[in-house]
Amino acid sequence: SQKIEQNSEALNIQEGKTATLTCNYTNYSPAYLQWYRQDPGRGPVFLLLIRENEKEKRKERLKVTFDTTLKQSLFHITASQPADSATYLCALTYSSASKIIFGSGTRLSIRP
Amino acid sequence: NAGVTQTPKFRILKIGQSMTLQCTQDMNHNYMYWYRQDPGMGLKLIYYSVGAGITDKGEVPNGYNVSRSTTEDFPLRLELAAPSQTSVYFCASSYSRASGRAGNEQFFGPGTRLTVL
């Protein structure tokens, strides 16, 4: 079965630096890869989507890359701020499926 | 738009009791989902629906039932609650592929925190 791996250890970054989170998957590549943000006690919020034929997608301070050879996506937050502190979830969608498979998330902490 | 709403926000059940978690969306999404999230863990899919009258099992369906009589509502029923069902439950919805939107990016409700004692 398909597996998604995200770094289970929390990532602590100094404010202003670039935070980079990793999402690795096994088996075949998804049609789409998504990133969500989840704050404590709240539901996940969609951030970005990248297609399998795209290498990179940007939105403001966020950047996502997708490498189907490495079976990996990287999620970057540039000029990080304490308000960026949250758990970030990676999710995969396959073209034949109606559902999404979520990773367990990486907790990011930005210290002032 | 209110988006995805869930009720109740919190609930404590005794072992063996039953309850229904309500979920409503006002975005005219065809697809709806129920997930559970245990502390420090990711989301596990319980059931999903691709349209009114159509439901299907996810990864962890045992102990739960769903129905989808309208596009807007997707209630989750717990029968004979067990301590293993203590979790936070999230409902989500998304556009269908027929809408032309890609990737099924999902819109989540605020969650229901359930404790079974």
Side-chain angles (χ1 to χ4, degrees), chain A:
Chain A
S1 62
Q2 188 69 315
K3 288 185 179 179
I4 306 174
E5 293 179 355
Q6 292 187 257
N7 193 342
S8 59
E9 293 184 11
L11 185 62
N12 295 299
I13 301 292
Q14 179 73 42
E15 181 178 8
K17 302 290 186 184
T18 296
T20 299
L21 284 68
T22 303
C23 174
N24 295 299
Y25 59 91
T26 60
N27 301 333
Y28 45 96
S29 290
Y32 311 98
L33 193 147
Q34 305 174 28
W35 285 89
Y36 290 76
R37 169 181 173 144
Q38 186 174 24
D39 292 292
R42 294 179 176 267
V45 175
F46 171 76
L47 295 175
L48 277 172
L49 175 150
I50 188 166
R51 294 171 172 77
E52 62 177 331
N53 61 351
E54 296 176 322
K55 296 293 185 186
E56 181 178 299
K57 183 73 70 75
R58 291 176 185 262
K59 179 182 177 182
E60 298 174 350
R61 295 185 295 109
L62 308 180
K63 184 178 83 171
V64 173
T65 63
F66 193 4
D67 189 326
T68 56
T69 300
L70 294 178
K71 298 187 177 181
Q72 181 181 81
S73 173
L74 298 178
F75 177 78
H76 306 271
I77 305 176
T78 58
S80 59
Q81 305 166 1
D84 296 326
S85 298
T87 295
Y88 291 86
L89 304 171
C90 166
L92 311 181
T93 304
Y94 293 88
S95 57
S96 61
S98 307
K99 51 190 178 180
I100 295 180
I101 303 172
F102 282 87
S104 57
T106 297
R107 192 169 77 248
L108 175 65
S109 294
I110 309 297
R111 58 182 186 273

